[in-house]
Amino acid sequence: MLGMALAAIDGTIVSTTVPQIVGDLGGFSVFSWLFSGYLLAVTVSLPVYGKLSDTFGRKPVLIAGIVLFLFGSVLCAAAWNMAALIAFRVVQGLGGGALQGTVQTIAADLYPLKERPKIQAKLSTVWATSAVAGPVIGGLFAVYADWRWIFLINLPIGALALWLVVRHLHEPARTRRAAGAPRPRIDWAGALAVFATGTLLLTALVQGGVAWPWFSAPSLGLLAGSVVLGALTVVIERRAAEPVIPGWVWRRRTIASVNLALGAMGLLMVAPTVFLPTYAQSVLGLGPIAAGFVLSVMTLSWPVSAAFSNRVYNRIGFRRTAIIGMSCALLILLAFPLLPYPGEPWQPALIMLLLGAALGLFQLPLIVGVQSTVGWAERGTTTASVLFCRQVGQSVGAALFGAVANGILASRLAAAPVPGLPGDLDAISHALDDPGRLSAAATDHLRRAVDAAVDHVYLGAAGAAALALLVLVFVAPRRFPVLTEESGNDAPAP
């Protein structure tokens, strides 16, 4: 949980100190890469760490991840300009990829099926606590200390986590390699190909429509390059003796359906995590901290729902429980555009509280279920593939829904009562922060334009929820082929 806390608190604590970082180092035009670079590194390294943990064990991978994350934190604290800080954030992300995937895998290794919901719910509370504590801690450092402390605070937490892991994490005994048997091979060519493909694709998705237009040379070049490298990755992985992303990840119906369903969940999560804070500030007129708490209520109901999900899936199965959770999420997302304008803060907060409960009922049964269908030697790769698809879904959702929001804003602002109004979400947020610059009619028009844009994003998120439901209904097997656990036996259960 302490290792997971390093990755969980990172995003929220950094976001609150961006003004201070930019004021000290400059680089306002590229500061978004503080987050994009970290996200890229986490996402593309997940499959590699999953395969390494299956080959050499979870403990060495987790230790390496913690050490790399702490090393990146020290470098970030010593950064002398924005370019250096972005590069060091990538180093941090490479450690964060090991933390996210390996901790989830270890939880499945150490706890039997009946106890996994409880430990997964406890891991969820780490994210919930970080969502609330991160902005507060970051704000305190920004006001009373220096932004560099947001990275240095990782050192005592990480040191304690490292000591506990080294001393107390004892992995189950593994079957020794027979004399003369070939040593495990590391598919370095496949790892490099996966890393390069993911980097090009995610860079195109994250920066397209932001740093350059979608149909510009950089976007088209990155997308074309990712397609070529993707094809090359498939060829390399088919020939590799120990591929980083083995073909069985997609050939097995259960794993493939969970990958697709959680990818769709990553897509819909963009609506609350990216656009709800803008809605709360621009439409409801809340401050940044209050807007953050409107979102954070989702992280309160999520672990509670996840903790009780085992009482549901033990009765009706993993697939049916996930279908119920996503069906509720679909209805909740469709309810958001029905909120009155401008409305009260408790209304979107209630929506987020219910959405967290629905997604807790959806995600945890799928993760626990898919981990229970594979043995120790395949669990790291399986878990990493699920998390990888969820991360890619979030990146695709950010690009897709960002284009939707900006398109709606452009159409609404074309009929604005006054000329010269800003034309994208960020510029509108800054304009509404200084109401004296705009007339009452122009301010109201901007607020209504943001309201319409976010409503359409939530409708798109509802479409992603419907896609997840279709996958569960038509692709996922009716019953997950859970393996027995007696004496570590990995044979299929009757």
Side-chain angles (χ1 to χ4, degrees):
M1 291 175 72
L2 283 173
M4 181 71 81
L6 291 172
I9 202 171
D10 181 81
T12 55
I13 197 173
V14 172
S15 62
T16 57
T17 56
V18 165
Q20 287 73 29
I21 294 174
V22 172
D24 187 16
L25 300 181
F28 178 80
S29 61
V30 295
F31 84 86
S32 64
W33 272 99
L34 291 177
F35 307 97
S36 300
Y38 181 87
L39 173 66
L40 287 170
V42 169
T43 304
V44 299
S45 63
L46 274 169
V48 178
Y49 286 125
K51 183 61 181 180
L52 289 176
S53 74
D54 283 344
T55 304
F56 300 104
R58 327 296 188 208
K59 187 173 181 176
V61 173
L62 181 58
I63 290 174
I66 295 175
V67 170
L68 189 57
F69 189 92
L70 296 181
F71 178 62
S73 298
V74 172
L75 292 177
C76 288
W80 53 90
N81 58 32
M82 185 60 76
L85 183 57
I86 290 171
F88 298 150
R89 284 282 288 166
V90 172
V91 176
Q92 254 193 326
L94 293 175
L99 294 174
Q100 290 195 30
T102 310
V103 170
Q104 295 278 2
T105 306
I106 289 174
D109 288 342
L110 297 181
Y111 294 87
L113 180 58
K114 291 182 179 179
E115 296 183 22
R116 283 177 198 163
K118 294 181 180 180
I119 191 62
Q120 290 285 359
K122 290 179 180 180
L123 291 175
S124 297
T125 62
V126 174
W127 293 92
T129 303
S130 301
V132 177
V136 175
I137 296 173
L140 290 174
F141 282 143
V143 174
Y144 298 107
D146 187 86
W147 62 265
R148 298 178 190 273
W149 282 98
I150 67 173
F151 299 108
L152 294 177
I153 196 177
N154 292 329
L155 300 183
I157 300 174
L160 180 57
L162 191 61
W163 179 78
L164 289 171
V165 168
V166 171
R167 182 169 182 137
H168 296 290
L169 176 59
H170 304 291
E171 295 191 80
R174 300 169 57 196
T175 303
R176 294 187 177 182
R177 182 169 55 92
R183 295 173 61 92
R185 297 181 181 179
I186 302 176
D187 179 22
W188 292 116
L192 181 61
V194 170
F195 195 91
T197 303
T199 299
L200 288 187
L201 176 61
L202 293 177
T203 301
L205 295 174
V206 170
Q207 295 298 106
V210 178
W212 47 70
W214 276 111
F215 293 101
S216 64
S219 281
L220 296 178
L222 286 170
L223 290 173
S226 64
V227 171
V228 173
L229 284 177
L232 179 62
T233 301
V234 172
V235 173
I236 293 174
E237 294 298 84
R238 283 184 173 180
R239 295 180 177 179
E242 297 286 344
V244 172
I245 304 182
W248 54 259
V249 168
W250 293 105
R251 287 195 297 268
R252 296 183 190 177
R253 187 176 171 186
T254 305
I255 301 175
S257 61
V258 172
N259 284 345
L260 293 173
L262 286 182
M265 192 199 79
L267 197 70
L268 74 85
M269 282 298 297
V270 172
T273 56
V274 176
F275 291 92
L276 183 65
T278 299
Y279 171 88
Q281 294 181 65
S282 300
V283 178
L284 302 181
L286 301 179
I289 295 178
F293 279 112
V294 170
L295 172 61
S296 67
V297 295
M298 180 175 68
T299 63
L300 301 178
S301 59
W302 193 313
V304 175
S305 172
F308 286 97
S309 66
N310 66 320
R311 300 186 180 184
V312 182
Y313 68 65
N314 282 335
R315 291 175 177 269
I316 65 175
F318 297 114
R319 173 176 170 271
R320 290 181 180 177
T321 304
I323 287 175
I324 292 173
M326 189 51 74
S327 298
C328 294
L330 173 59
L331 296 176
I332 294 164
L333 291 167
L334 289 174
F336 187 92
L338 302 178
L339 294 179
Y341 172 86
E344 299 293 334
W346 66 266
Q347 295 167 334
L350 177 60
I351 292 285
M352 291 303 100
L353 189 71
L354 296 174
L355 184 61
L359 293 178
L361 199 62
F362 166 79
Q363 177 180 260
L364 186 62
L366 291 183
I367 291 180
V368 172
V370 77
Q371 288 178 331
S372 303
T373 65
V374 294
W376 190 98
E378 297 177 341
R379 192 170 290 141
T381 299
T382 300
T383 303
S385 73
V386 169
L387 298 179
F388 175 78
C389 289
R390 189 181 66 184
Q391 293 282 91
V392 171
Q394 287 181 320
S395 300
V396 172
L400 177 62
F401 293 146
V404 170
N406 285 327
I408 298 298
L409 285 173
S411 65
R412 294 300 176 100
L413 294 177
V418 291
L421 292 178
D424 60 67
L425 277 172
D426 290 335
I428 288 174
S429 298
H430 291 306
L432 291 174
D433 285 340
D434 186 12
R437 295 170 49 192
L438 304 172
S439 65
T443 299
D444 182 69
H445 192 85
L446 283 182
R447 293 187 188 280
R448 290 183 180 275
V450 173
D451 181 63
V454 176
D455 284 348
H456 280 77
V457 168
Y458 269 80
L459 289 175
L467 178 61
L469 279 176
L470 290 175
V471 170
L472 292 175
V473 171
F474 295 106
V475 180
R478 292 184 178 274
R479 296 188 63 180
F480 283 22
V482 176
L483 304 183
T484 58
E485 296 174 333
E486 291 82 359
S487 303
N489 183 18
D490 285 336

